[in-house]
Amino acid sequence: MYSLTEKVLDIFYPMLRGVMTKQVYRFLAVGGVCFAVNILIFHSSYHWVYKPYQISTPYLPAYMFAFFTSLAITILLGFFLNYYFVFHGSVLERRVQFFRFSYSTLLEAIAGYYLMRFFVEKLLWFPTLALIVNVAIVQTVNYFIQRDYSFKK
């Protein structure tokens, strides 16, 4: 199963070999999978659960509940995909890696929280568009944090 997943993950790498390393390519591929899952969960939970049932508070509107729901699921998915397919070979123990990954993701979630509120409440963007831009910004920084901190060799 692991070998099959690697083969599917690396299907487009030969075309991009001259542009980026395999690690950067896999990080982007894994990030793309997590991004798609994140958007799917966010959109579904926002439009079919939180917004129709008016689940919100003054400090956490419905779109923020959806944000944290999708974040909780994609933290676990992102860790395991990064651990097994991107940053293997780290000398750190898995529990240390998971703690660091979760800690950095928590910091990213805080940044994401404020970005979401800014995009939706100040710029009046549609929540799904705000999430897409939010994730693009946060994940760009995330690569360097994960590479140099969470999965340090």
Side-chain angles (χ1 to χ4, degrees):
M1 181 69 176
Y2 179 77
S3 178
L4 175 64
T5 305
E6 278 191 319
K7 287 179 183 176
V8 170
L9 193 62
D10 292 341
I11 204 162
F12 294 109
Y13 180 66
M15 293 183 290
L16 300 168
R17 183 175 287 138
V19 179
M20 63 184 73
T21 66
K22 190 173 232 177
Q23 184 182 47
V24 171
Y25 168 79
R26 283 189 172 182
F27 182 80
L28 292 173
V30 163
V33 168
C34 290
F35 182 67
V37 169
N38 191 358
I39 297 298
L40 179 69
I41 293 169
F42 175 84
H43 186 79
S44 300
S45 63
Y46 176 69
H47 288 287
W48 297 336
V49 178
Y50 298 116
K51 188 176 178 184
Y53 294 102
Q54 299 176 350
I55 299 172
S56 65
T57 69
Y59 298 106
L60 283 175
Y63 66 86
M64 291 309 300
F65 275 102
F67 173 74
F68 287 119
T69 300
S70 64
L71 180 69
I73 294 167
T74 54
I75 283 176
L76 295 173
L77 178 64
F79 174 76
F80 285 108
L81 289 176
N82 278 294
Y83 179 81
Y84 286 109
F85 299 110
V86 181
F87 297 110
H88 44 28
S90 175
V91 295
L92 299 172
E93 294 180 35
R94 189 184 318 186
R95 67 179 177 79
V96 172
Q97 290 175 347
F98 183 71
F99 173 78
R100 288 181 173 190
F101 184 87
S102 298
Y103 178 71
S104 63
T105 303
L106 176 65
L107 294 176
E108 294 161 14
I110 292 168
Y113 170 82
Y114 288 109
L115 281 172
M116 283 292 288
R117 300 237 22 185
F118 174 73
F119 291 149
V120 174
E121 294 173 12
K122 301 295 184 205
L123 300 181
L124 303 176
W125 289 5
F126 187 70
T128 303
L129 172 64
L131 179 72
I132 292 169
V133 173
N134 179 5
V135 170
I137 292 169
V138 170
Q139 290 307 311
T140 300
V141 174
N142 182 28
Y143 171 74
F144 298 103
I145 292 171
Q146 300 309 338
R147 183 189 69 185
D148 298 333
Y149 178 68
S150 299
F151 297 102
K152 183 170 79 173
K153 287 189 179 186

